[in-house]
Amino acid sequence: MQQTIQRIPVAKPVLDTLEVEALRRVILSGWVTQGPEVAAFEREFAEHVGAPYACAVSSCTTALHLALMAVGVGAGDEVVTVSHSFVATANAIRHCGATPVFVDIEAGGYNMDPALVEPVLGSRTKAILCVHQLGMPCDLSRIVEIGRRWGIPVIEDAACAIGSEIFWAGRWEKIGRPHGDVACFSFHPRKVITTGDGGMITTADPEIDRKCRLWRQHSMSVPDTVRHGANEVIFESYPEVGFNFRMTDMQAAVGRVQLTRLPSIVADRRRIAEEYSGRLATIEGIGVPREPTWARTNWQSYCIELPEWCDQRTVMQRMLDHGISTRRGVMNTHLEPPYKSAVTRAVLSRSERAQQRGVILPMVPWMTSPQLREICDGLAAAVEPTVAHATAQR
């Protein structure tokens, strides 16, 4: 009989009876679609990150779509972004009828290299869409300075970055304040906190917030909550073509509980990342992620770089055979069929190397030191035969 291996998962959300009770309360209330819980989640999220406005939607992809539309991106326009990101970043641009213009990532990291942005700006550029990849803040101050100098809005793809911080104007501030024009978050189960799925748009611009709120609900002129509580009949209208991008009250109720857990979840992830970095320093050739002096990441994921002599798939399979789940490093969108003809005015060699050599290790907040030792020992064993092979070839 084949023995089932008890696997260490690559990720798992922190959910327990508090979320169950929140769901029960909403279900029994009879109001389960976008309503008072969504409004409360938006207020609490805005207060947490320090943003004047927060608008909840169905996913980070829809958040990016609305944010791009709200700053004026449309058919025929170009948006400067990175290929080295989940395909949703570029898909949101295409959904607007615009074209992504990819630039490479920085040396020694996974975020947009600000030095490569200005050379690709042109008359058709209508936005810069930067990504805080894997929760690590990008060099936002340099990107925002470029955007302001050229009069181009900056949108932050902060899908992974709830709980991350950046040193801004002499103090630490949370990602989402926002520092660009708009920031977009994800609550997918792989993220630090989750609502099952869902997204949030934060901004300091009331007109951007108004547009996102209008478009997320079919552009209905009167919210359901207003009609429900009115003492007179109200006929709504639909002045623009909108979308069904709403978050439900059930999701929002879970999100409110998750938001209260955020500080302790981030603290646990930072503890795990610190232990990873210490243990992995003893394995030859393994590159570990490092925080810039101006960034504090939430460690949404811990992505290592394999040495040149290792095959990525072989290492991952060897670890899986030992019961340790991993994931390939961040994808490159320009290598996928719908984007092979996309505009890439720069060489993307750093992006391609990062995809080929990156491996994401398990990151679950309650992981123990014995489990971390098991993972690091498994990684050392997975790369050891290839090290021996490389030594024999010298």
Side-chain angles (χ1 to χ4, degrees), residues 101-125:
V101 177
F102 297 127
V103 297
D104 210 358
I105 57 175
E106 61 202 340
Y110 302 119
N111 284 322
M112 173 183 282
D113 185 344
L116 302 177
V117 173
E118 212 150 5
V120 301
L121 298 178
S123 60
R124 294 172 61 194
T125 308

Side-chain angles (χ1 to χ4, degrees), residues 119-357:
V120 301
L121 298 178
S123 60
R124 294 172 61 194
T125 308
K126 291 297 185 292
I128 300 170
L129 176 51
C130 57
V131 183
H132 302 298
Q133 193 55 260
L134 302 175
M136 186 73 76
C138 66
D139 194 350
L140 192 59
S141 62
R142 290 177 63 191
I143 295 169
V144 168
E145 193 278 327
I146 293 169
R148 287 175 179 165
R149 182 149 33 89
W150 283 70
I152 297 172
V154 173
I155 298 173
E156 301 168 56
D157 183 340
C160 302
I162 180 64
S164 297
E165 297 178 293
I166 192 166
F167 197 72
W168 190 273
R171 64 179 183 180
W172 288 101
E173 294 186 348
K174 292 183 173 63
I175 294 296
R177 193 168 174 82
H179 302 95
D181 295 84
V182 196
C184 301
F185 294 87
S186 170
F187 303 120
H188 181 274
R190 277 286 305 277
K191 304 304 186 287
V192 174
I193 61 173
T194 184
T195 59
D197 206 342
M200 190 73 78
I201 305 165
T202 60
T203 182
D205 187 327
E207 181 60 11
I208 289 176
D209 182 68
R210 184 195 68 79
K211 290 177 180 177
C212 292
R213 289 178 183 281
L214 180 69
W215 292 333
R216 71 174 171 177
Q217 191 177 5
H218 301 286
S219 293
M220 186 188 294
S221 61
V222 183
D224 284 337
T225 48
V226 174
R227 289 194 304 170
H228 181 73
N231 292 321
E232 59 182 13
V233 174
I234 298 175
F235 284 1
E236 82 281 14
S237 63
Y238 302 86
E240 299 179 41
V241 177
F243 305 90
N244 182 357
F245 285 171
R246 294 169 297 195
M247 175 181 281
T248 68
D249 258 27
M250 292 184 290
Q251 292 172 296
V254 172
R256 294 179 68 191
V257 176
Q258 289 275 286
L259 199 57
T260 66
R261 299 186 188 278
L262 181 60
S264 65
I265 293 174
V266 171
D268 282 343
R269 287 174 175 271
R270 293 187 66 82
R271 169 187 61 80
I272 292 168
E274 184 176 1
E275 187 163 346
Y276 262 142
S277 297
R279 292 184 179 278
L280 295 175
T282 63
I283 304 177
E284 182 184 353
I286 296 292
V288 298
R290 301 188 188 282
E291 288 178 316
T293 56
W294 39 263
R296 290 176 181 161
T297 178
N298 60 8
W299 293 110
Q300 186 265 334
S301 292
Y302 191 94
C303 186
I304 62 165
E305 182 179 324
L306 295 175
E308 295 288 348
W309 57 76
C310 288
D311 176 74
Q312 183 187 51
R313 186 185 294 269
T314 300
V315 171
M316 292 174 66
Q317 184 62 54
R318 287 172 176 166
M319 294 188 73
L320 187 61
D321 292 342
H322 284 84
I324 302 166
S325 297
T326 61
R327 293 290 183 275
R328 184 180 66 165
V330 180
M331 63 176 290
N332 283 329
T333 302
H334 74 281
L335 300 179
E336 299 301 317
Y339 293 96
K340 285 189 174 178
S341 60
V343 180
T344 54
R345 295 175 186 147
V347 175
L348 303 178
S349 57
R350 293 175 189 158
S351 299
E352 294 178 5
R353 173 186 169 83
Q355 176 179 305
Q356 293 163 359
R357 312 234 55 86

